[in-house]
Amino acid sequence: MKKLFIYYSLTGNGDLVAEYLKEKEYDIRKIETKEPLPKNYVLRILAGGYKAMINYEDKLIDFDVNIDEYDKIVIGSPVWNARLSSPINTVLKLLDLNSNPLGAIWLF
């Protein structure tokens, strides 16, 4: 069974999950955005929260949308303003998981 972990991590917490899942034989795809959030903590929170609130879709760097070979996909996202992060909004749109026949897609 081929397994994939797709995630976005702003602070590095997602990287810890990725390391763990890599030990469990998951392939790893980390999402990177073309435009980073501000370095200032308060501005970063405001910008990220606003983007999440309006369901903004960030432009991604070299994201591979081919998931056909995987039996299980886990998608990890930080929660911004009680919503998924804007980079993961883009991933969900690009992958079109509604038409995907996979029986095991987990989002956390």
Side-chain angles (χ1 to χ4, degrees), residues 7-104:
Y7 76 105
Y8 175 75
S9 181
L10 181 62
T11 61
N13 291 333
D15 297 329
L16 297 173
V17 176
E19 288 176 26
Y20 173 78
L21 291 177
K22 190 170 188 173
E23 293 173 4
K24 303 294 181 191
E25 300 181 0
Y26 277 76
D27 290 340
I28 306 297
R29 287 192 198 163
K30 183 174 182 178
I31 306 302
E32 295 185 39
T33 60
K34 288 187 178 181
E35 295 180 21
L37 289 170
K39 292 187 188 269
N40 177 283
Y41 180 74
V42 173
L43 294 177
R44 186 173 46 202
I45 288 172
L46 292 172
Y50 177 73
K51 285 180 169 186
M53 182 181 72
I54 64 169
N55 293 319
Y56 183 80
E57 296 171 10
D58 278 300
K59 292 180 176 58
L60 306 180
I61 297 173
D62 299 327
F63 179 69
D64 180 8
V65 297
N66 185 8
I67 59 171
D68 296 337
E69 63 187 274
Y70 294 97
D71 302 307
K72 182 187 290 186
I73 298 175
V74 176
I75 300 174
S77 174
V79 176
W80 294 348
N81 200 17
R83 299 172 189 269
L84 295 174
S85 65
S86 51
I88 295 300
N89 288 337
T90 306
V91 168
L92 293 175
K93 181 179 178 188
L94 291 173
L95 293 181
D96 189 24
L97 298 174
N98 290 329
S99 64
N100 192 295
L102 288 172

